[in-house]
Amino acid sequence: MENKPIARKLRLLSQLMELHEVNPFKVKSIANAAFKVDKLPFPAKNKSTEELEKIDGIGKSTAAKITELLETGTMAELEELLEKTPAGVVEMMGIKGIGPKKVAIIWRDLAIENLGELYYACNENRLVEAKGFGLKTQDEIRKVIEFNMASNGKFLYAKIEEEANNLLDRVKVILPASLIEFGGEFRRCCEIINNLVIVLGDNDLDTAFNSIAESGIILQPIVNGKKLSGELENGLKIEIFFVEKRYFYHELFVQTGDGEHINAVLALAGDIVDQPVNEEEIYNKAKLEFIQPELREGTGFIEKAKNNDLPALITLPDLKGSLHNHSTWSDGINTVEEMALYCRDEMNLEYLGMCDHSKSAFYAKGLSIEQVINQQEEIDHLNKKLNGFHIFKGIESDILYDGSLDYPEEILKRFDFIVASVHSILKMDEEKATSRLIKAIENPYTTILGHPTGRLLLSRSGYPIDYKKVIDACAENNVVIEINANPLRLDLDWRWHQYALEKGVWLSINPDAHRKEGLLDMYYGILAGRKGGLYKERCLNALSLQQISSFFSKKNRG
């Protein structure tokens, strides 16, 4: 056991050497030594360098490294290689099933530098086109990363939604006469779920409690009064609160909002409404308009509720089209026509905005100027062919490090609209990230600011920006801000939607779809928009075909 840390360090050294294309004989020598040390029947620390040299498979050079490791806790060569390797790339080498050669391709050819970006690439089917990768390997990598995420006890809403709803259905089958509803983060449609809360009302509490406790739904349930807690099979924590039916809606209210919201509403209500017939009664007692569960974060909407000025939250049927989508022209899976037909025939939408990657996104097969022209000719042909539907010519143009877009003006003016996004050199301080975005926003050809912080939930923090300065710049330049609906992104963060809306900025719920099924992610963008208080009158793709055509024309005329 004492030799395992030494073997791990040697193994890491051999992997990094292979990653950086050190002499393969040297790589093999270190890898063999790692195996030998791991299997030694005695602690290596008790042996001198000379004694280690004599062990079959170790030799003089490696023995010196082991001694250095034992004396200093590291090896100079290892530190030198670590210095040249992004920490996220080192972390990738811990994924079962991909060795240094594949990690090198991911890092150098696909420009992926951490697990978050790798997970995103797996979800966008980007790995299958890389040398040495296939669909099976891609799926295995995705599963390992998802397992690592789950082991931290945090889950994306989108990843547990189906399982949570199935669980609620199981509870309702067991207790069909009970009042049962989600509370907590899940009912508030939070983007990240730490704990699943269910409120259950029944007049025979003992029977209801025992029925759920013995059902096997919760692994090793813990009893705390009339509450069951524990975990589901996937590791998600769960709490089920049991109350008499007459107290159900009060308990549902208490278990739904965050503490600040609950306390503020109850303070306004004065006397406790402990047996309400619904949640509306509690808000009525507080002289407030009913506040939807999604908005029960803090006190931000309470003043609006006092004045009966709450927004009519956007719904999925409000959306008339889908903007920011990718096709086989860059790194998408479906053709432009397939994406358009899915929008028209399966989703009953009026338009599609194609935004394949621009020329700087070499890792995503970004379009050259010639390809832009060819794609636009294809779109012109399809627009003549498709009845009652329109495809807009867009591009997701990379925001370069200096804030400029990566096509000349004569090409930029050919597009109906442009989504400007940062994809490279993400390590920036707040001042640099903010100025980079603002310069792109001030470009007269920028229509929409794409995924403003570049974040990947549970995987990669976004680059820091001064939200107010960026949003103010969008207001001044009539630039729309994207709510990237990919459940890994949900960027712009819902906490800034109200500030943007108050400044008169339009928001757009964009799926960033790389396959036709990805268009369905607009549902998660709707949930994020609702949390931020978005209403259809300020959502770009809630405009009709005629209205958005006019919007683009007006923007392009300056």
Side-chain angles (χ1 to χ4, degrees):
M1 211 49 196
E2 292 181 72
N3 293 330
K4 287 195 178 296
I6 302 170
R8 275 199 298 270
K9 286 285 180 73
L10 288 171
R11 197 172 297 117
L12 177 59
L13 175 59
S14 72
Q15 290 173 330
L16 287 169
M17 290 166 69
E18 187 174 355
L19 179 71
H20 289 282
E21 299 178 336
V22 174
N23 185 310
F25 293 105
K26 192 175 178 183
V27 172
K28 188 174 181 181
S29 173
I30 297 293
N32 287 339
F35 178 80
K36 289 285 185 183
V37 169
D38 197 23
K39 301 299 180 184
L40 287 178
F42 51 81
K45 67 179 182 179
N46 296 337
K47 301 293 181 181
S48 66
T49 306
E50 290 73 20
E51 289 173 312
L52 289 171
E53 286 178 23
K54 295 174 183 176
I55 297 172
D56 181 47
I58 292 183
K60 187 173 181 178
S61 174
T62 306
K65 284 182 170 55
I66 294 171
T67 301
E68 181 188 7
L69 179 59
L70 290 168
E71 290 176 352
T72 68
T74 187
M75 296 169 281
E77 189 171 5
L78 176 62
E79 292 303 315
E80 183 184 334
L81 291 171
L82 285 170
E83 186 70 26
K84 297 194 308 190
T85 315
V89 174
V90 176
E91 196 176 2
M92 282 182 217
M93 290 195 292
I95 296 177
K96 186 178 179 181
I98 58 172
K101 285 187 172 64
K102 281 190 167 67
V103 171
I105 292 168
I106 291 168
W107 177 26
R108 295 197 176 95
D109 295 357
L110 301 180
I112 293 170
E113 290 196 351
N114 59 53
L115 286 178
E117 293 170 356
L118 179 57
Y119 184 56
Y120 183 77
C122 287
N123 279 283
E124 298 308 329
N125 231 41
R126 196 173 291 167
L127 255 64
V128 295
E129 295 184 6
K131 183 181 178 183
F133 289 84
L135 190 59
K136 184 179 177 182
T137 303
Q138 178 177 269
D139 287 343
E140 287 172 354
I141 292 170
R142 179 170 52 224
K143 286 173 185 175
V144 170
I145 298 174
E146 285 177 349
F147 177 81
N148 291 341
M149 286 179 178
S151 67
N152 293 326
K154 297 177 183 292
F155 294 79
L156 295 175
Y157 179 98
K159 285 295 176 185
I160 61 128
E161 182 185 25
E162 183 178 1
E163 184 176 357
N165 286 323
N166 289 340
L167 172 69
L168 197 72
D169 290 340
R170 285 177 64 191
V171 175
K172 288 178 177 179
V173 168
I174 295 169
L175 297 169
S178 298
L179 297 172
I180 305 167
E181 184 56 87
F182 287 117
E185 297 166 331
F186 191 80
R187 191 172 183 226
R188 297 200 308 272
C189 298
C190 295
E191 63 271 43
I192 295 171
I193 307 297
N194 298 280
N195 187 33
L196 192 64
V197 171
I198 293 175
V199 180
L200 192 151
D202 198 290
N203 290 333
D204 185 352
L205 287 183
D206 288 338
T207 299
F209 190 89
N210 292 332
S211 296
I212 300 302
E214 296 166 6
S215 68
I217 287 174
I218 300 177
L219 302 181
Q220 299 178 327
I222 299 168
V223 178
N224 182 2
K226 288 300 179 185
K227 181 179 82 169
L228 279 178
S229 59
E231 291 185 355
L232 302 179
E233 287 186 8
N234 66 359
L236 176 63
K237 292 181 175 61
I238 181 171
E239 293 179 309
I240 303 181
F241 294 85
F242 294 79
V243 294
E244 292 181 35
K245 279 187 175 180
R246 56 184 173 150
Y247 299 123
F248 176 78
Y249 288 104
H250 180 270
E251 188 69 16
L252 182 61
F253 166 77
V254 168
Q255 296 301 335
T256 294
D258 69 6
E260 191 180 5
H261 179 87
I262 295 162
N263 292 336
V265 174
L266 293 180
L268 289 170
D271 296 335
I272 293 176
V273 186
D274 66 345
Q275 297 182 42
V277 296
N278 53 39
E279 289 180 297
E280 284 85 344
E281 189 176 335
I282 298 172
Y283 285 97
N284 288 339
K285 184 74 186 299
K287 294 183 169 55
L288 296 171
E289 187 180 356
F290 176 71
I291 298 177
Q292 295 288 347
E294 297 96 317
L295 303 181
R296 299 184 201 175
E297 307 271 359
T299 59
F301 286 94
I302 286 181
E303 197 61 35
K304 290 181 182 290
K306 280 182 186 178
N307 300 322
N308 289 319
D309 192 31
L310 285 173
L313 298 180
I314 192 163
T315 64
L316 192 59
D318 289 330
L319 300 185
K320 305 303 179 190
S322 176
L323 305 172
H324 187 175
N325 301 287
H326 301 266
S327 73
T328 50
W329 279 92
S330 64
D331 60 344
I333 301 303
N334 295 103
T335 64
V336 176
E337 183 172 13
E338 287 169 341
M339 296 288 280
L341 291 174
Y342 192 85
C343 279
R344 187 191 71 178
D345 301 338
E346 302 298 326
M347 301 179 72
N348 297 314
L349 297 175
E350 298 176 10
Y351 52 86
L352 167 71
M354 287 311 310
C355 288
D356 277 302
H357 285 285
S358 59
K359 64 178 183 177
S360 296
F362 61 89
Y363 52 85
K365 299 195 301 181
L367 274 59
S368 66
I369 290 175
E370 183 182 3
Q371 287 174 312
V372 166
I373 294 168
N374 290 339
Q375 186 192 54
Q376 292 188 351
E377 288 176 356
E378 178 185 320
I379 290 173
D380 285 337
H381 170 73
L382 287 170
N383 278 332
K384 293 175 183 176
K385 176 181 174 182
L386 299 173
N387 293 323
F389 190 85
H390 188 79
I391 304 169
F392 287 105
K393 302 168 187 172
I395 195 76
E396 185 178 20
S397 182
D398 268 28
I399 300 174
L400 303 179
Y401 193 64
D402 66 356
S404 61
L405 303 185
D406 63 343
Y407 287 118
E409 183 176 351
E410 60 268 24
I411 297 301
L412 293 175
K413 67 173 58 173
R414 293 178 63 97
F415 297 106
D416 294 319
F417 74 108
I418 291 172
V419 176
S421 308
V422 171
H423 288 109
S424 60
I425 317 179
L426 304 182
K427 294 174 184 175
M428 301 174 282
D429 60 24
E430 183 177 302
E431 183 179 359
K432 174 58 186 176
T434 301
S435 64
R436 184 178 178 182
L437 291 186
I438 288 176
K439 183 173 178 184
I441 290 163
E442 290 173 344
N443 189 307
Y445 294 101
T446 297
T447 317
I448 301 172
L449 176 63
H451 43 74
T453 72
R455 74 179 188 182
L456 296 173
L457 293 169
L458 295 182
S459 305
R460 180 180 76 196
S461 299
Y463 36 82
I465 64 172
D466 185 323
Y467 281 92
K468 288 187 176 180
K469 284 184 178 178
V470 169
I471 291 170
D472 290 349
C474 287
E476 291 166 13
N477 292 276
N478 193 27
V479 168
V480 179
I481 301 180
E482 172 177 89
I483 301 173
N484 189 293
N486 185 309
L488 276 166
R489 290 192 182 273
L490 299 178
D491 183 19
L492 180 70
D493 189 297
W494 61 265
R495 294 162 185 83
W496 288 97
H497 293 183
Q498 275 300 295
Y499 183 81
L501 293 169
E502 287 164 5
K503 290 291 181 176
V505 175
W506 286 75
L507 302 178
S508 184
I509 295 175
N510 297 343
D512 197 354
H514 288 67
R515 59 172 66 82
K516 57 188 182 182
E517 292 81 7
L519 292 157
L520 300 174
D521 281 348
M522 288 198 293
Y523 163 74
Y524 297 107
I526 287 287
L527 298 186
R530 288 175 65 87
K531 280 194 73 61
L534 179 61
Y535 42 94
K536 68 178 182 180
E537 291 80 8
R538 212 65 193 172
C539 178
L540 182 65
N541 55 316
L543 294 177
S544 68
L545 173 57
Q546 184 177 357
Q547 289 170 325
I548 200 168
S549 297
S550 176
F551 185 99
F552 288 153
S553 295
K554 185 177 178 182
K555 169 69 177 174
N556 292 338
R557 287 197 302 269

